[in-house]
Amino acid sequence: MFVKAIARGVGCAIGVSLFASSAALAAAPHTVLPGETLWSISAANNLTTRTVAVYNGLPETASVGVGTTIYVPTVQEGAAALASGTPAVAPPPASTPAPVNAAAPAPATSTTAIAPAPGMGHIPSPYGELHLLPAAADSWNAMRAEALSAYGTDIYPGGPASAYRTYAQQAELYQAFLAGYGAPANPPGSSSHEFGAAVDVQDPQMRWVIDQIGWKYGWSKVNGPGEWWHVDYVGG
């Protein structure tokens, strides 16, 4: 009888312990959708990328594959993870990069530093704030909010030179295109990017969302046939 009582006590203790551990974990599991990144998931939940990364045992620059489960902590859980520097959950398995589709190169990037653009509006991106015309930036940010709420997809530029870019940046990208290792690019002086009225998005899912709602915000595809990544601001 004494042994059985001990066994029952141990079993209860284990059950209480497991219940307490489960109850203590208030973080919400999130399955990564097409177009999402660690940065966009964090931003959508008003958390820093570092907070979500540390909580999940990932580097801030980690690439999270579609279908991966990322845990979004509460503010308190995130703060505790940052203070201790210890992950609260096991990190997800590393994802294998998807093969590159030769017919759909990644949005153009540039080795030139992002140029300041006085008087322009700003849009968020994984590369910091990028620039657009004020009206274009305001409408992009409003469209982004709807994309997140209605489709669960963030929309953002695919590189540091994928919104406003200078003449010099456009020339650099055009030369890369002519040399055969860059994405299609217009000659410098003829790109809507140089006026702050275009964005090259990260992936086709983002472009699909813009095709659904962009007309309400003045964003549309008006040039560059075959360039799924390119959208222009044509005004409301």
Side-chain angles (χ1 to χ4, degrees), residues 204-227:
Q205 172 68 13
M206 297 182 188
R207 170 59 194 281
W208 181 85
V209 171
I210 293 173
D211 286 345
Q212 311 311 304
I213 63 175
W215 59 273
K216 294 189 285 186
Y217 301 95
W219 284 91
S220 178
K221 174 78 168 178
V222 297
N223 60 18
E227 298 179 15

Side-chain angles (χ1 to χ4, degrees), residues 6 9 11 19-20 23 34-35 57 96 116 120 124 138 153 164 176 184 203 216 232-233:
I6 292 177
F19 177 79
T96 302
M120 282 199 170
D138 289 344
T153 296
Y164 166 76
D203 61 45
K216 294 189 285 186
D232 286 285
Y233 178 67

Side-chain angles (χ1 to χ4, degrees), residues 20-215:
S21 298
S22 175
L25 184 63
H30 174 83
T31 302
V32 178
L33 300 171
E36 290 187 319
T37 64
L38 195 59
W39 173 82
S40 68
I41 294 169
S42 304
N45 289 279
N46 296 314
L47 296 168
T48 65
T49 305
R50 178 170 174 74
T51 298
V52 177
V54 171
Y55 190 86
N56 285 272
L58 295 168
E60 289 183 67
T61 56
S63 175
V64 290
V66 173
T68 301
T69 298
I70 296 295
Y71 285 88
V72 179
T74 63
V75 173
Q76 293 77 9
E77 288 175 331
L82 286 175
S84 66
T86 304
V89 295
S95 60
T96 302
V100 175
N101 181 348
T109 57
S110 169
T111 56
T112 307
I114 300 173
M120 282 199 170
H122 309 288
I123 63 174
S125 84
Y127 317 96
E129 286 192 334
L130 300 187
H131 313 293
L132 289 173
L133 291 171
D138 289 344
S139 64
W140 179 273
N141 290 329
M143 179 171 64
R144 175 177 179 251
E146 182 174 349
L148 283 166
S149 63
Y151 295 91
T153 296
D154 199 358
I155 55 173
Y156 50 84
S162 290
Y164 166 76
R165 65 179 71 128
T166 64
Y167 182 97
Q169 287 173 319
Q170 187 65 33
E172 179 184 351
L173 295 170
Y174 183 60
Q175 289 303 316
F177 167 58
L178 293 180
Y181 62 86
N186 288 343
S190 64
S191 171
S192 51
H193 285 282
E194 296 171 80
F195 304 105
V199 171
D200 291 338
V201 294
Q202 174 69 32
D203 61 45
Q205 172 68 13
M206 297 182 188
R207 170 59 194 281
W208 181 85
V209 171
I210 293 173
D211 286 345
Q212 311 311 304
I213 63 175
W215 59 273

